[in-house]
């Protein structure tokens, strides 16, 4: 009698036999990924056909498998390291900003770089405990030679760190963006460690608030001369940059002269660099060599007052200039007249900022007349001492502007309708009316404009420091609707004031479903009952909306405290200059 096993084998179909042959020929490599997760004993007996598979793969297959295994283990280490800081793993981008990294963490990170061969972006900014230890990281940069963006802002870098970075940059020849901002130790000579070390493909160099001196400016000039592809140079907030000394080797003039060899430069930021009329004279001579320049920021340089004509003579060469920032420069009437004369030559200009210059309020009409209005997008005139005539002249430009900012201009109060009637629904994205002494009627008119859909594209609305508006005005605004694209709204009161919002808070709560894009709401110094506060907080918390509202005090008044940022409120009055 035939055995049961024999009878079963005889009943197998030809397809069973073929599949059996295929199974026997599967190599161990085919099964290994699944086995690695399911098997508890990786050193046990090989699966069927594994020995045969080894013979087929040849003598070098073991090395390849070992290398793959090592990479897997290394990548696991990277994932574990990043999870410690609440970061997600990305083989191309490494972001550890604001993580309180220590020297030990930096050393561990350095040993993991070999497992990130595809890395293109590294950001370890705002970790001030790693200052003086950067060499631990830079000594391993040869493993990530494909880095294109490197950010080391506010890390308390010192001279040794900068030197170590300079020595390692030879391994990252594809670097395009280098940001060393907010490292005060770079100024005073440390910058020399980067001279001749920056890779030629570099397109952006950021050295904001590094306490650069005039001597550093000369070194920076040598660096710029060797970067033919440089597009962005930002050395803002270095007030000593233009203070010439005997050993400065030309200082700022050397830097300005080097710009002649930076024909690709598109953005030049010199905010708060202590620029003077002489500085503008040195800078002006290089502008004719910068045909690609699109953004020029000279703001917060109060010492250039009365000397802007040294620059305006050369601005006409910047035919592609799109943005010119001169806010808070104490510009005089003669400066503004010189600027107005050159504006017709700047045919590509889309943004002009002369805000926080009191004298600008008296030249708005000729200023607007000289601008290429059809392409203008921003013309902030906040803190410009606007009068009724200049406010009326501004209305001519409003239909073309994406952003309208007339904050800290008292003339707006009671005349807001003139501005609102000129707004274009599909154009306006930002409206700032802080501290304008708005009235209840102004808010009613604003509500009527919203109701007509004229602000349907508005994203940011600033109505802060307008305590003279009555409850009826705030109620009308939130009941009107028509703000479906609004992302940020600020209704805060002045730091020393406070008022109850219970009368109009129900209108705000009713409007929230019609504000799907809202991400931030500021109600500082407004007070409300416990029930109302909880209801608003609950509604916004469900949508992850940032609510800036002072915590209630025991006496019912608003405390001068910012719940969102844990900072004291700003001073009550804001200086115009």
């Amino acid at each position: 009698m035939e055995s049961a096993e024999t009878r079963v084998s005889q009943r197998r179909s030809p397809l069973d036999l073929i599949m059996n042959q295929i199974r026997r020929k599967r190599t161990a490599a085919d099964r290994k990924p699944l086995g690695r997760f399911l098997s508890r004993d990786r050193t046990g007996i090989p699966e069927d056909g594994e020995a045969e598979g080894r013979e087929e793969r040849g003598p070098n297959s073991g090395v390849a498998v070992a290398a793959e295994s090592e990479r897997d283990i290394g990548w696991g280490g990277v994932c574990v390291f990043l999870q410690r800081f609440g970061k997600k793993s990305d083989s191309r981008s490494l972001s550890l900003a604001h993580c309180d990294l220590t020297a030990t963490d930096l050393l561990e990170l350095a040993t993991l770089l070999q497992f990130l061969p595809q890395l293109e972006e590294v950001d370890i900014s705002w970790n001030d405990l790693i200052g003086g230890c950067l060499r631990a990281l830079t000594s391993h940069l040869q493993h990530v030679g494909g880095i294109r963006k490197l950010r080391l802002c506010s890390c308390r870098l010192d001279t040794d760190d900068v030197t170590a970075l300079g020595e390692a940059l030879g391994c990252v020849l594809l670097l395009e963006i280098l940001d060393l901002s907010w490292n005060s130790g770079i100024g005073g000579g440390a910058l020399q460690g980067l001279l001749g070390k920056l890779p030629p493909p570099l397109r952006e160099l950021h050295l904001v608030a590094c306490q650069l001196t005039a001597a550093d400016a000369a070194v920076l000039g040598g660096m710029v001369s060797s970067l033919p592809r440089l597009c962005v140079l930002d050395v803002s907030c270095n007030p000593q940059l233009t203070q010439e000394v005997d050993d400065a080797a030309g200082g700022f003039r050397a830097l300005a002269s080097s710009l002649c060899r930076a024909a690709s430069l598109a953005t030049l930021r010199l905010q708060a660099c202590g620029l003077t009329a002489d500085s503008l004279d040195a800078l002006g001579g290089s502008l004719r060599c910068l045909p690609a320049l699109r953004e020029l920021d000279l703001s917060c340089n109060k010492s250039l007052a009365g000397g802007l004509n040294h620059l305006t003579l050369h601005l006409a060469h910047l035919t592609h200039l799109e943005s010119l920032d001169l806010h808070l420069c104490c510009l005089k009437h003669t400066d503004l007249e010189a600027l107005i004369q050159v504006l017709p030559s700047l045919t590509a200009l889309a943004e002009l900022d002369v805000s926080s210059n009191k004298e600008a309020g008296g030249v708005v009409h000729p200023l607007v007349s000289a601008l290429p209005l059809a392409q203008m997008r921003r013309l902030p005139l906040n803190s410009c001492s606007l009068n009724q005539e200049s406010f009326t002249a501004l209305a001519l430009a409003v239909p073309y502007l994406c952003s309208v900012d007339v904050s800290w201009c008292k003339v707006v109060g009671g005349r807001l309708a003139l501005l609102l009637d000129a707004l274009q629904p599909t154009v306006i994205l930002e409206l700032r009316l802080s501290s304008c002494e708005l009235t209840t009627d102004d808010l009613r008119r604003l509500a009527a404009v919203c109701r007509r859909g004229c602000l349907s594209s508005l994203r940011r609305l600033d109505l802060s420091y307008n305590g003279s508006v009555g409850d009826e005005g705030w109620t009308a605004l939130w009941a009107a609707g028509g703000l479906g694209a609004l992302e940020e709204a600020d209704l805060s009161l002045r730091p020393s004031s406070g008022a109850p919002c219970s009368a109009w808070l129900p209108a705000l709560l009713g409007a929230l479903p019609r504000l799907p894009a809202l991400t931030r709401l500021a109600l500082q110094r407004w007070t409300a009952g416990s029930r109302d506060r909880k209801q608003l907080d609950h509604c916004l918390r469900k949508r992850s909306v940032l609510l800036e509202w002072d915590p209630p005090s025991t006496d019912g008044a608003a405390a001068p405290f910012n719940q969102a940022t844990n900072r004291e409120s700003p001073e009550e009055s804001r200086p115009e200059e």
Side-chain angles (χ1 to χ4, degrees):
M1 181 180 292
E2 294 180 347
S3 65
E5 181 178 352
T6 303
R7 289 196 301 271
V8 170
S9 64
Q10 289 175 347
R11 287 197 298 267
R12 286 179 178 173
S13 69
L15 179 61
D16 292 331
L17 296 176
I18 294 173
M19 294 302 298
N20 187 48
Q21 292 294 328
I22 293 175
R23 291 190 190 99
R24 289 182 177 276
K25 289 186 176 294
R26 286 179 58 196
T27 63
D30 294 330
R31 303 184 224 222
K32 187 172 181 181
L34 183 60
R36 184 162 49 214
F37 291 104
L38 300 181
S39 175
R40 294 180 179 273
D41 184 8
R42 299 183 187 176
T43 61
I45 300 174
E47 299 180 20
D48 294 340
E50 186 172 347
E52 181 181 352
R54 286 176 181 169
E55 294 176 1
E56 293 178 358
R57 285 181 294 174
N60 295 326
S61 60
V63 177
V65 171
E68 181 183 356
S69 178
E70 184 180 359
R71 285 195 299 269
D72 291 340
I73 295 173
W75 175 247
V78 172
C79 296
V80 171
F81 179 80
L82 293 175
Q83 287 173 1
R84 234 164 52 210
F85 300 97
K87 301 292 184 177
K88 294 182 179 179
S89 307
D90 188 336
S91 62
R92 296 185 182 275
S93 178
L94 180 64
S95 177
L96 287 166
H98 298 280
C99 285
D100 293 325
L101 296 180
T102 64
T104 304
D105 297 326
L106 195 66
L107 183 60
E108 183 178 354
L109 173 61
T111 61
L112 295 172
L113 290 182
Q114 59 182 310
F115 305 113
L116 294 167
Q118 297 179 331
L119 197 61
E120 296 182 357
E121 300 181 21
V122 176
D123 186 355
I124 54 175
S125 302
W126 307 99
N127 289 288
D128 56 7
L129 298 178
I130 64 175
C133 308
L134 193 63
R135 188 177 294 274
L137 181 69
T138 58
S139 60
H140 291 75
L141 286 183
Q142 70 272 13
H143 299 296
V144 285
I147 290 180
R148 297 180 182 273
K149 300 178 183 179
L150 179 58
R151 303 185 189 279
L152 297 165
C153 305
S154 190
C155 290
R156 291 192 179 180
L157 302 184
D158 58 21
T159 302
D160 291 339
D161 293 326
V162 177
T163 300
L165 177 61
E167 294 172 352
L169 287 179
C171 301
V172 284
L173 298 178
L174 300 179
L175 189 66
E176 296 179 354
I177 299 176
L178 178 61
D179 193 345
L180 303 176
S181 300
W182 306 100
N183 285 290
S184 58
I186 292 180
L191 196 63
Q192 186 77 32
L194 297 179
L195 184 60
K197 306 294 180 62
L198 297 179
L202 195 71
R203 297 173 59 85
E204 295 187 20
L205 179 59
H206 301 265
L207 294 167
V208 179
C210 288
Q211 293 193 7
L212 301 182
T213 63
D216 295 320
V219 174
L220 182 58
M223 295 163 57
V224 170
S225 299
S226 62
L227 299 173
R229 300 182 185 179
L230 190 66
C231 295
V232 178
L233 177 61
D234 190 351
V235 291
S236 299
C237 303
N238 287 289
Q240 301 178 17
L241 195 67
T242 57
Q243 296 180 7
E244 304 290 349
V245 292
D246 294 338
D247 59 346
F252 183 79
R253 284 191 173 273
L255 173 58
S257 178
S258 70
L259 296 178
C260 292
R261 293 179 287 280
S264 299
L265 197 65
T267 299
L268 178 59
R269 301 186 184 123
L270 296 167
Q271 182 189 89
C273 284
L275 298 181
T276 62
D278 290 339
S279 305
L280 294 184
D281 189 49
L283 180 62
S286 299
L287 292 184
R288 65 179 67 236
C289 303
L290 301 175
L293 195 66
R294 284 174 166 76
E295 179 185 343
L296 179 59
D297 186 352
L298 305 175
S299 61
C300 303
N301 286 289
K302 297 182 179 181
S303 298
L304 61 77
L308 191 61
N309 62 310
H310 290 272
L311 184 72
T312 54
L313 295 172
H314 307 279
L315 280 179
H317 298 287
L318 303 179
T319 55
H320 292 91
L321 190 66
E322 299 174 357
S323 175
L324 177 60
D325 194 342
L326 293 165
H327 83 266
L328 198 60
C329 285
C330 295
L331 296 181
K332 297 183 178 180
H333 190 77
T334 54
D335 296 321
L336 293 164
E337 286 182 336
L339 175 63
I340 291 171
Q341 289 178 3
V342 76
L343 285 180
S345 302
L346 304 178
T347 55
L349 196 66
E351 299 183 10
L352 175 63
D353 192 346
V354 291
S355 62
S356 298
N357 289 289
K358 288 184 177 181
E359 295 290 337
V363 297
V364 174
H365 190 277
L367 185 72
V368 170
S369 300
L371 288 169
L373 291 181
Q375 63 196 34
M376 289 299 296
R377 294 296 176 262
R378 291 188 68 252
L379 182 62
L381 291 172
N382 50 293
S383 301
C384 283
S385 298
L386 297 180
N387 53 38
Q388 186 172 351
E389 180 182 355
S390 56
F391 184 61
T392 303
L394 174 61
L396 299 175
V398 166
Y400 305 97
L401 303 179
C402 294
S403 173
V404 175
D405 188 350
V406 289
S407 299
W408 303 89
C409 295
K410 310 304 180 186
V411 70
V412 181
R415 300 181 179 87
L416 185 61
L418 182 64
L419 201 67
L420 296 177
D421 291 342
L423 295 176
Q424 293 297 312
T426 59
V427 176
I428 186 68
L429 302 177
E430 182 179 54
L431 182 59
R432 296 190 179 275
L433 302 167
S434 177
S435 190
C436 287
E437 294 190 355
L438 299 182
T439 65
T440 301
D441 285 340
D442 288 327
L443 265 289
R444 288 198 182 103
R445 291 181 180 274
L446 179 59
V449 171
C450 293
R451 195 176 299 111
R452 294 197 303 267
C454 296
L455 297 178
S456 57
S457 299
L458 193 70
R459 297 178 184 175
R460 284 172 288 278
L461 178 62
D462 186 355
L463 299 173
S464 60
Y465 295 6
N466 286 291
S468 54
V469 176
D471 292 337
E472 298 84 357
W474 299 117
T475 300
L477 175 64
W478 295 119
L483 293 172
L486 192 66
E487 298 174 1
E488 298 182 16
D490 192 344
L491 279 65
S492 301
L493 298 175
R494 294 180 181 276
S496 61
S497 63
C501 63
S502 300
W504 54 266
L505 195 59
L508 172 59
L509 290 169
L512 288 179
R514 303 192 300 271
L515 300 172
L518 191 67
T519 60
R520 173 180 173 266
L521 177 63
L523 298 173
Q524 295 176 25
R525 267 81 62 187
W526 286 103
T527 59
S530 175
R531 181 178 178 180
D532 290 335
R533 292 181 65 96
K534 289 180 179 179
Q535 186 177 2
L536 180 60
D537 184 68
H538 177 70
C539 292
L540 297 182
R541 193 182 299 275
K542 288 193 303 182
R543 296 170 45 181
S544 299
V545 176
L546 174 62
L547 175 61
E548 297 179 8
W549 202 359
D550 309 291
S553 60
T554 55
D555 59 358
F561 187 78
N562 184 332
Q563 186 178 14
T565 59
N566 292 335
R567 291 197 300 264
E568 292 184 357
S569 300
E571 296 180 1
E572 177 179 357
S573 61
R574 171 182 170 182
E576 296 200 0
E577 291 188 349

